Amino acid sequence: MHVILLAGGRGTRLHPLTQDLPKPMVPVVNRPWLHHLLEIVGRLPIVDIRCAVHYRWEAIRNIKWSSIRGNVPVELVVEREALGTGGAIRNAANGVTMTFMVLNADIVPGMDLCELLERHRKIGADCTIALTQVEDPSAYGVVELSPDGRILRFVEKPAPGTAPSNLINAGVYVMEPYILDSIPQGRPISVEREIFPQLIEQGARIYSYISPAYWNDIGTPKGYLSTHWDILQDRMPIRFPDGLSLHNGKEDIRVGRRVRIDSGARLIGPVLLGDGCVIRSGAVVGPNAVLGPDVKIGNRSIVQNSVIWAGAQIGDNSMVEECIIGYNTIVEDRSTARAELIPSRGLWRDTARPAIV
Ligand code: GDD
Ligand code: MG
């Protein structure tokens, strides 16, 4: 089997953090998400992984593949112009003659991918779409099913209140190679908006695999943050960076090497601190905080429900809540940042609202 990762989108919902970084490279528990994903799919019995890239793809080129992928070859398939999800599949699957699996590179697939493949084979489907249940399906692809699990309708991002179910496309498909003949070449095309509805109309055997396993979407701020809290609480098995230890033996407080926690600073789990972090006196970090390597938190500052990327510095007497803060950004003393995405190498100054003093 081949695996195709769709990794070429612009990541607009994470802008400005993804202005100079492709979404698959955003850090999740301090490792690029793509590294985690390669480890997950690398466990499958596969021939190769083809990574369909476009937006800011140069940042993906520099990955040291050999250290992550084991013996599975990984090929970057670069699109000069964005081909859309359908066009990307067609392009990356060039020459494929056996069953293949496609994954959106921004989803967190806790499901058993081997079981998905087995189900696809047992049913003899042309295509099998993994589904997961969510409360509000309007931001996703939504399906209507027959009692035997055949997909009767696929609607991408239905208007609120019009979704046929709350079972959504989890962004993982198994496809037979002849499906590729239905994808026209030469123009960008969406597998969700055009190819799936068209295949269903033509009577193709498109089946579902409903998984109750963990699933999330790192492509939105909310999904990105909650993925972190879930991983920290062991709801999704993911490899943490090397060299972590438990702070004072607490299971949910993981700290890297050379971390400095001044007396009077407090960590409230779940928390992850990367190598070289400095937490100054009186600061409170957590619950729900992930700090990348070399992040510094100033005296008496509070950081909660936030992910801070490597090298960022939070000044003294500041408050950071529900934020994602980019690499090497400085949040000045006495600032408040709430539900903000703060770009890398930025400067955040907010004296308009009173901060903690
Ligand atoms: N190579 C390539 N080229 N990849 C692309 C392109 C392209 O032109 N456009 C999008 N992608 C990649 C994105 O990087 C992402 O990994 C994946 O395709 C899906 O695109 P998104 O832009 O993230 O779509 P979405 O999140 O709005 O919706 C998709 O995912 C949902 C699950 O999270 C759809 O597949 C929905 O049906 C699904 O429910
Ligand atoms: Mg997405």
Side-chain angles (χ1 to χ4, degrees):
M1 189 178 68
H2 304 271
V3 167
I4 295 173
L5 301 179
L6 298 179
R10 300 182 66 84
T12 41
R13 281 158 292 193
L14 289 181
H15 275 210
L17 289 156
T18 40
Q19 251 160 12
D20 54 3
L21 191 73
K23 193 164 44 170
M25 294 304 284
V26 301
V28 170
V29 292
N30 293 347
R31 296 177 66 218
W33 171 246
L34 191 57
H35 292 204
H36 295 295
L37 194 57
L38 289 170
E39 285 172 357
I40 293 170
V41 296
R43 291 181 212 128
L44 293 163
I46 51 178
V47 181
D48 62 12
I49 300 172
R50 300 172 182 203
C51 199
V53 294
H54 167 68
Y55 179 75
R56 302 277 183 252
W57 69 274
E58 296 82 358
I60 297 178
R61 180 177 49 187
N62 300 332
I63 288 187
K64 288 195 193 74
W65 302 104
S66 55
S67 60
I68 319 159
R69 63 170 157 77
N71 292 322
V72 182
V74 183
E75 188 193 338
L76 273 197
V77 185
V78 183
E79 293 158 32
R80 298 268 158 236
E81 284 168 59
L83 295 174
T85 47
I89 295 172
R90 165 106 207 204
N91 189 48
N94 191 26
V96 161
T97 53
M98 62 169 95
T99 307
F100 60 97
M101 187 179 283
V102 179
L103 291 97
N104 289 351
D106 60 351
I107 53 114
V108 185
M111 68 193 73
D112 184 338
L113 297 172
C114 285
E115 200 178 276
L116 162 66
L117 183 62
E118 272 167 35
R119 183 170 157 89
H120 170 84
R121 294 212 158 117
K122 203 165 144 209
I123 291 179
D126 300 324
C127 169
T128 303
I129 303 179
L131 304 177
T132 189
Q133 206 164 347
V134 295
E135 250 165 55
D136 176 11
S138 61
Y140 301 101
V142 191
V143 298
E144 183 185 329
L145 298 180
S146 74
D148 70 342
R150 189 162 174 168
I151 297 183
L152 303 175
R153 208 147 67 90
F154 188 104
V155 195
E156 183 65 14
K157 305 199 173 64
T162 66
S165 72
N166 60 355
L167 287 171
I168 62 141
N169 168 19
V172 186
Y173 324 122
V174 181
M175 292 180 168
E176 291 305 315
Y178 48 81
I179 288 280
L180 297 168
D181 299 338
S182 313
I183 307 179
Q185 273 178 306
R187 69 172 173 98
I189 191 159
S190 158
V191 75
E192 300 91 343
R193 292 181 193 277
E194 296 172 76
I195 305 303
F196 287 150
Q198 184 188 311
L199 285 169
I200 292 166
E201 188 155 323
Q202 290 165 354
R205 290 166 52 78
I206 307 207
Y207 275 82
S208 58
Y209 168 78
I210 302 175
S211 168
Y214 185 80
W215 184 89
N216 212 331
D217 171 5
I218 62 145
T220 66
K222 200 170 159 224
Y224 177 79
L225 289 172
S226 63
T227 294
H228 279 83
W229 322 144
D230 292 335
I231 293 172
L232 291 189
Q233 288 170 89
D234 301 319
R235 292 193 196 115
M236 171 73 199
I238 280 292
R239 192 160 77 76
F240 283 94
D242 294 336
L244 295 181
S245 54
L246 298 181
H247 180 64
N248 293 340
K250 289 197 184 120
E251 295 271 302
D252 61 350
I253 303 185
R254 298 165 170 97
V255 298
R257 296 162 282 219
R258 304 178 308 281
V259 162
R260 171 172 171 181
I261 301 163
D262 283 358
S263 65
R266 244 187 350 134
L267 304 182
I268 306 174
V271 162
L272 168 63
L273 305 186
D275 294 346
C277 279
V278 177
I279 315 293
R280 292 291 182 203
S281 180
V284 180
V285 176
N288 294 330
V290 171
L291 311 191
D294 303 313
V295 167
K296 295 188 176 58
I297 309 295
N299 294 292
R300 295 172 299 282
S301 286
I302 295 179
V303 175
Q304 57 191 24
N305 300 315
S306 297
V307 175
I308 303 182
W309 296 359
Q313 298 187 27
I314 312 298
D316 296 339
N317 301 310
S318 289
M319 170 85 186
V320 173
E321 197 178 41
E322 279 176 53
C323 290
I324 310 170
I325 297 183
Y327 295 115
N328 298 323
T329 283
I330 292 178
V331 172
E332 289 208 331
D333 295 348
R334 293 180 298 283
S335 293
T336 300
R338 224 169 242 133
E340 301 283 352
L341 306 186
I342 304 181
S344 294
R345 294 170 290 283
L347 178 67
W348 181 263
R349 177 184 300 162
D350 173 19
T351 46
R353 280 171 284 175
I356 304 117
V357 277

